[in-house]
Amino acid sequence: MIVVTGFKPWGRHKHNPSEELAKLLHGRVIAGQRVESKILPVSYRAALEAVAEIHAISPRLTLHLGLAASAPALRMEKVAVNIADAGPDVEGVEKRGEPVVPGGPAAYFATAPMEEMVDASRRAGVPARLSYTAGTYLCNYIFYLSLHHAGRGAAVGFIHLPLTPEMALEGNAPSMPLELQLRGVLAAVEAALKVLR
Ligand code: PCA
């Protein structure tokens, strides 16, 4: 099984492409594996609960998705750090430089093959690059927690998505149509499963 998570809109954003892509991917079968999607509020508590549920069922691949409003391309995240330094989340919880997991390692590398995923997205005609920071908010938080709790043989990756054109109409930020984002993510998942098989 493949688990995909997406976040609901938060703050000034009316949409979140990660929610929309997670919905579009739900129920698809990719390289023989069924996708089970989860949509989460931008909440530290919800992320913690979701990660526990996900890794109780040991999916072969868990792909977390989130919005990075400044990203001009798909950003395949290579590193999750043990710091939460942002907020408030939608429940009003703020984290000021706290560890995601007290006593946990400073950082984890993604266990999904992010480099191959970048290449696959590019081959599918969708701009993508490797990134070495997922920030210090919910996206890094869920990514770190997921890597911390995943069992052996359960790969975890994170893709940050650009705004959609509808969300960037003021012309002050880069954007990418949702269909293109979907094509890149699908190509990336296929490539990941090929490597992990
Ligand atoms: N992006 C935020 C949190 C939710 C989302 O979609 C982040 O990059 O941390």
Side-chain angles (χ1 to χ4, degrees):
M1 182 190 291
I2 305 165
V3 171
V4 171
T5 71
F7 285 108
K8 290 186 181 157
W10 87 104
R12 66 197 154 85
H13 302 297
K14 299 256 185 312
H15 305 275
N16 192 325
S18 69
E19 171 178 25
E20 290 163 33
L21 284 193
K23 283 186 179 156
L24 289 170
L25 290 166
H26 183 72
R28 286 205 189 211
V29 177
I30 307 172
Q33 304 251 18
R34 212 184 111 87
V35 176
E36 190 71 39
S37 291
K38 274 182 184 294
I39 313 293
L40 306 172
V42 179
S43 137
Y44 293 108
R45 187 193 47 79
L48 196 60
E49 286 173 12
V51 164
E53 280 172 24
I54 291 166
H55 293 297
I57 57 172
S58 272
R60 181 71 189 95
L61 172 66
T62 302
L63 182 63
H64 302 286
L65 302 174
L67 166 67
S70 60
L74 302 188
R75 252 173 47 189
M76 312 295 182
E77 301 293 351
K78 178 76 182 170
V79 183
V81 294
N82 194 13
I83 300 171
D85 189 31
D89 69 3
V90 295
E91 291 172 349
V93 176
E94 271 194 69
K95 305 257 184 195
R96 285 285 160 238
E98 297 168 38
V100 175
V101 175
Y108 285 111
F109 286 136
T111 46
M114 306 315 291
E115 291 86 350
E116 281 84 353
M117 291 163 74
V118 169
D119 292 344
S121 177
R122 290 177 179 172
R123 275 197 307 273
V126 182
R129 71 170 174 84
L130 204 59
S131 162
Y132 298 101
T133 173
T136 53
Y137 192 37
L138 252 301
C139 288
N140 174 74
Y141 187 79
I142 197 167
F143 188 26
Y144 185 95
L145 276 179
S146 194
L147 284 161
H148 188 77
H149 290 289
R152 273 173 175 273
V156 175
F158 193 105
I159 304 181
H160 258 129
L161 307 165
L163 294 166
T164 59
E166 299 73 19
M167 297 171 75
L169 286 178
E170 299 84 6
N172 296 321
S175 65
M176 185 191 286
L178 197 66
E179 310 80 70
L180 207 59
Q181 298 191 18
L182 177 63
R183 205 209 294 169
V185 170
L186 275 171
V189 170
E190 267 168 34
L193 291 172
K194 219 176 257 173
V195 173
L196 295 169
R197 199 162 39 201

